[in-house]
Amino acid sequence: MPVKTFRAALNEALHQEMARDPRTIVLGEDITGGKGATGEKDAWGGAFGVTKGLLDAFGEKRVIDTPITESAFVGAAAGAAVTGLRPVAEIMFVDFLGVCFDQIFNQAAKFRYMFGGKAVTPLVIRATFGAGSRSASQHSQALYPLFTHIPGLKVVIPSTPYDAKGLLIEAIRDDDPVIFLENKLLYDTTGDVPDDSYTIPFAEAAVLREGSDVTIVAVGRMVSVAMDAAKALATEGIEATVIDPRTASPLDTETILEMVEETGRLVIVDESNPRCGFAADIAALVAEEAFDVLKGPILKITPPHTPVPYAPNLEDAYLPDAARVIAAVRRVMAHGE
Amino acid sequence: MTDLHALPMPKWGMTMTEGTLVDWLVPEGALVEQGQEIAEVETTKIANAVEAPVSGILRRQVAVPGASVPVGGLLGVIGDAETTDAEIEAFVSARVSISAESDDETPAPRLVETVGGPINVLSLGGGAGIPVVLLHGYGGDLGSWMFNVDALASDRPVYAIDLPGHGASPPRAASELADLAKAVFQVCDALSAPRVHLVGHSLGGAVALTIASTKPERAASLVLVAPVGLGREIEAEYLTAFLAADRRRPMKQALGLLFSDPDAVSSDMVEGVLRSKRRDGVPQALAATLEGFFDPASGQTQELRPALSGFDGPVTVIWGDVDGIIPPAHADGLPKTSEVHLVPGAGHMPMMEAASAVNRLLTAHFSSADRSG
């Protein structure tokens, strides 16, 4: 099986879908140019190198470099989607989507509903998210709960190169607006990725590990944090199930509940803000639907409710890590049995 | 002179990096025969028994039940009665220090270019013996043989292949039985293996029979494991559920029907099948393959008993006696030249469920087939 980076897996998904379906276009800032470059085209392939090579393969009509105006090109993408194209808009940082909430929340997310189901909006908005890159509070947030909150949007958060490719192809082929969020610290991670095109259905959690003592739910980069914790816990005889919902909306509630029923304990690892967040949502689901199987409290491992700090020592302390997950698991293991 | 042998954690399949010792099946100090099942090991894919590599005394159980041991790590030590405890201690500590850096030269499957397109092949073994080609069943992949390839590869080349549209082999537009047989010729040509022993499981058995009847000169012998083609009955629920499943839960349920113990199916096994099936064009190719040997109203549509009667070479037929997919009664009334073995307690996957027993049958088949041919 070929080993590829997360970045290369996304790039391959874009290449393959653009080749398969001429309605697929990409647009965004610097995706064919490059700030600080000497004027050559496709200097970088976007701020994170994900769109590299698309310009050569598909030309300027389908690979569109935009001005620095997210509200304009996200609106253009939404309009293009509702009139027959399958646009993929790239936003450098999810933090910048604040300036186009109307385009996303009130337009794209509502077209299907407000036009009696007759309009489809096959729009994908790709954006990076997450702390840990010393980029300060306006370039580091994990805002997936904002989009999960809005009916009509689908929210995808891949954690591995394999999932990144399969979920992006699924997102492009989906007829609804999809917010596709890439943790910037994952771009250089590697994994097995088939050369063939393939899709991963939404609302299908990945079960990465099965144990009988505790269920850990995590998305994005937190999946590797949860796996590190689970491996360390195994050496002290605590066996954890680790599941990655992969999509925050729609959510695979069945797998979460099934796995909690088997272990009776739940720890959620989430790098978004704790209030009204992803972890809180899953905790509420399990408390309502599986209360009788719980042996102890549901614990949420999240950052504190603060902006992402710029000081490196504070940023490191801000992010959930394996040590915190291990401590939480030990705490819930004190309950039951 | 002491004679100590390590009992290492086996490697079953590509992705296995460690296993958990479920329990010892014999106590420390017990006399064990080569090939005897002496420990039960569980991996993320499946649980299976570990066999004694040599006859002797199980002098030391190094791993305790419940322990995770990396592939190649030491489970136990087999030796003779004369060896002192101090010698065993020395053997264990020497072994522990090397196991940390050994392994890693596990052979990986690779795509082999053939006239009709690439085919994924796991190549093992070598030497002058007639090569063995292993053909999995419908919806399966070369991982079906993870417990068998090493036992077969000791004295001959072994090729486990993914049929088109299965495992990591790309789907092809034409994927009915004759097309699959053609793909096997093509990959044998590409591997410079003009004449091979064919081992086919389920649909792979029908592929082997098709080759035996259309190009008998290419088949040195046949081993048919619960093959398609010898009767009408086949569990439609499995076939339709497998084809429809695109998610973990329904796929796990479908695959459970293959085994006498449905719990043998792990999440990793399910994930592997789903990853293959999610590739573009694969569901369509699998539907076409199914249509070629199955009709919902009448069951199996390929009548391959004449192919078996017409084949001159040695034939062994192996069937799990509680097979829930294709009834073992299909092994009744076969030509006298076919040697039939029922494997007690095994479902439709005897080569996984009763690997030791099936490995012994396979080894016996090849040594007698080599003598006769």
Side-chain angles (χ1 to χ4, degrees):
Chain A
M1 184 75 68
V3 173
K4 293 166 196 166
T5 62
F6 194 89
R7 175 186 292 108
L10 292 166
N11 182 266
E12 193 169 89
L14 291 169
H15 267 282
Q16 289 179 350
E17 278 312 283
M18 291 187 77
R20 193 186 73 92
D21 187 342
R23 295 171 299 171
T24 306
I25 62 165
V26 298
L27 66 173
E29 295 159 2
D30 282 352
I31 65 169
T32 74
K35 173 185 163 294
T38 53
E40 72 268 33
K41 284 291 185 187
D42 202 18
W44 295 356
F48 293 89
V50 174
T51 56
K52 189 84 184 155
L54 294 178
L55 179 67
D56 252 1
F58 303 104
E60 282 182 337
K61 285 197 168 159
R62 296 179 62 197
V63 183
I64 303 163
D65 213 296
T66 66
I68 308 175
T69 318
E70 284 81 5
S71 54
F73 75 82
V74 166
V82 83
T83 52
L85 295 179
R86 307 190 84 85
V88 180
E90 175 176 301
I91 309 294
M92 285 184 189
F93 297 89
V94 72
D95 315 66
F96 303 168
L97 279 176
V99 296
C100 32
F101 274 3
D102 187 65
Q103 307 290 5
I104 299 169
F105 292 172
N106 281 331
Q107 308 305 325
K110 302 293 192 288
F111 288 154
R112 180 192 282 277
Y113 185 78
M114 293 185 70
F115 298 137
K118 289 178 184 157
V120 295
T121 313
L123 164 68
V124 179
I125 299 174
R126 293 180 39 246
T128 67
F129 79 95
S133 63
R134 314 302 187 222
S135 306
S137 53
Q138 296 164 327
H139 303 77
S140 301
Q141 299 171 84
L143 297 177
Y144 38 86
L146 287 181
F147 304 97
T148 308
H149 190 65
I150 304 297
L153 297 179
K154 293 175 179 172
V155 182
V156 181
I157 312 161
S159 66
T160 67
Y162 175 83
D163 287 357
K165 178 175 170 184
L167 290 168
L168 183 53
I169 293 176
E170 178 81 6
I172 294 170
R173 295 181 190 178
D174 195 282
D175 277 341
D176 289 312
V178 177
I179 311 295
F180 192 95
L181 298 173
E182 303 159 14
N183 188 301
K184 50 181 95 69
L185 298 188
L186 292 179
Y187 279 129
D188 290 317
T189 60
T190 56
D192 288 343
V193 179
D195 293 333
D196 301 335
S197 286
Y198 59 91
T199 54
I200 298 171
F202 292 164
E204 168 81 345
V207 180
L208 300 161
R209 199 175 187 291
E210 280 179 276
S212 53
D213 296 319
V214 60
T215 298
I216 306 176
V217 176
V219 290
R221 192 177 71 82
M222 292 299 109
V223 174
S224 64
V225 171
M227 286 298 281
D228 287 347
K231 279 175 203 149
L233 287 161
T235 64
E236 53 188 87
I238 298 172
E239 292 295 339
T241 291
V242 177
I243 56 179
D244 170 8
R246 295 197 279 215
T247 54
S249 185
L251 181 66
D252 182 359
T253 56
E254 283 182 20
T255 297
I256 295 170
L257 292 170
E258 176 191 332
M259 294 300 161
V260 171
E261 273 161 24
E262 282 175 18
T263 61
R265 299 183 183 92
L266 174 63
V267 171
I268 308 149
V269 194
D270 172 19
E271 71 167 292
S272 69
N273 301 322
R275 300 295 319 285
C276 289
F278 178 72
D281 187 52
I282 289 175
L285 165 83
V286 170
E288 279 187 5
E289 303 286 334
F291 183 78
D292 291 338
V293 305
L294 286 174
K295 296 171 181 165
I298 298 166
L299 294 186
K300 314 193 308 291
I301 305 300
T302 68
H305 200 61
T306 72
V308 180
Y310 181 58
N313 56 336
L314 293 181
E315 187 177 22
D316 291 344
Y318 169 94
L319 272 171
D321 60 15
R324 284 184 62 200
V325 180
I326 291 166
V329 168
R330 287 194 190 124
R331 227 183 102 199
V332 285
M333 286 307 294
H335 297 265
E337 246 95 319
Chain B
M1 179 67 204
T2 62
D3 191 18
L4 291 173
H5 294 272
L7 180 69
M9 176 62 76
K11 183 163 179 83
W12 293 324
M14 275 305 298
T15 54
M16 178 171 171
T17 55
E18 61 172 23
T20 303
L21 178 70
V22 178
D23 212 349
W24 287 98
L25 302 176
V26 297
E28 211 167 69
L31 211 56
V32 297
E33 292 281 320
Q34 182 180 1
Q36 183 184 344
E37 299 184 348
I38 58 176
E40 196 188 346
V41 161
E42 191 178 66
T43 74
T44 51
K45 276 217 159 47
I46 196 164
N48 196 35
V50 178
E51 298 171 17
V54 293
S55 299
I57 297 168
L58 179 62
R59 288 295 309 267
R60 184 64 54 89
Q61 295 177 346
V62 177
V64 296
S68 286
V69 179
V71 167
L74 197 59
L75 293 173
V77 180
I78 295 173
D80 52 27
E82 285 76 57
T83 314
T84 65
D85 284 347
E87 286 169 320
I88 292 172
E89 289 303 333
F91 180 86
V92 170
S93 41
R95 174 82 195 177
V96 167
S97 62
I98 56 164
S99 70
E101 74 225 50
S102 61
D103 102 69
D104 240 330
E105 84 274 333
T106 325
R110 68 196 163 94
L111 285 176
V112 171
E113 289 303 330
T114 79
V115 177
I119 292 285
N120 194 44
V121 181
L122 175 65
S123 307
L124 292 171
I130 299 174
V132 174
V133 173
L134 300 165
L135 306 170
H136 60 77
Y138 179 67
D141 59 40
L142 57 83
S144 299
W145 309 103
M146 65 170 86
F147 303 132
N148 318 106
V149 282
D150 287 335
L152 300 180
S154 58
D155 56 353
R156 65 185 75 247
V158 173
Y159 303 114
I161 75 165
D162 284 336
L163 293 168
H166 291 73
S169 291
R172 294 186 181 180
S175 17
E176 293 195 14
L177 197 51
D179 308 308
L180 299 182
K182 198 192 284 177
V184 176
F185 299 145
Q186 291 167 352
V187 76
C188 287
D189 288 344
L191 294 164
S192 308
R195 190 159 175 272
V196 297
H197 296 297
L198 291 167
V199 180
H201 169 242
S202 197
L203 179 66
V207 174
L209 281 166
T210 305
I211 294 169
S213 68
T214 53
K215 304 243 179 181
E217 71 282 2
R218 304 202 67 159
S221 78
L222 298 180
V223 179
L224 306 172
V225 184
V228 159
L230 302 183
R232 281 270 180 205
E233 297 82 5
I234 187 163
E235 180 52 63
E237 185 192 336
Y238 167 70
L239 297 169
T240 47
F242 172 84
L243 191 59
D246 67 345
R247 288 170 186 266
R248 188 180 60 86
R249 230 177 316 239
M251 181 58 84
K252 187 166 186 167
Q253 242 169 7
L255 295 179
L257 298 170
L258 295 172
F259 294 84
S260 63
D261 172 13
D263 289 341
V265 180
S266 69
S267 290
D268 273 15
M269 186 187 291
V270 174
E271 178 67 13
V273 174
L274 285 174
R275 282 190 178 206
S276 174
K277 227 184 140 210
R278 283 180 194 137
R279 296 173 301 153
D280 280 4
V282 167
Q284 296 80 353
L286 286 171
T289 299
L290 184 58
E291 224 167 85
F293 73 91
F294 171 72
D295 173 61
S298 55
Q300 294 189 39
T301 55
Q302 294 287 339
E303 174 51 61
L304 295 169
R305 276 177 182 257
L308 188 54
S309 313
F311 181 67
D312 287 336
V315 178
T316 296
V317 177
I318 300 171
W319 228 299
D321 73 345
V322 292
D323 190 327
I325 306 294
I326 305 178
H330 287 193
D332 295 344
L334 296 183
K336 292 226 166 13
T337 47
S338 301
E339 209 179 297
V340 177
H341 297 274
L342 288 188
V343 181
H348 191 58
M349 305 292 285
M351 67 288 194
M352 295 183 97
E353 297 172 84
S356 316
V358 169
N359 285 342
R360 274 191 293 278
L361 293 171
L362 291 171
T363 310
H365 170 91
F366 294 126
S367 54
S368 102
D370 282 351
R371 278 197 303 278
S372 68

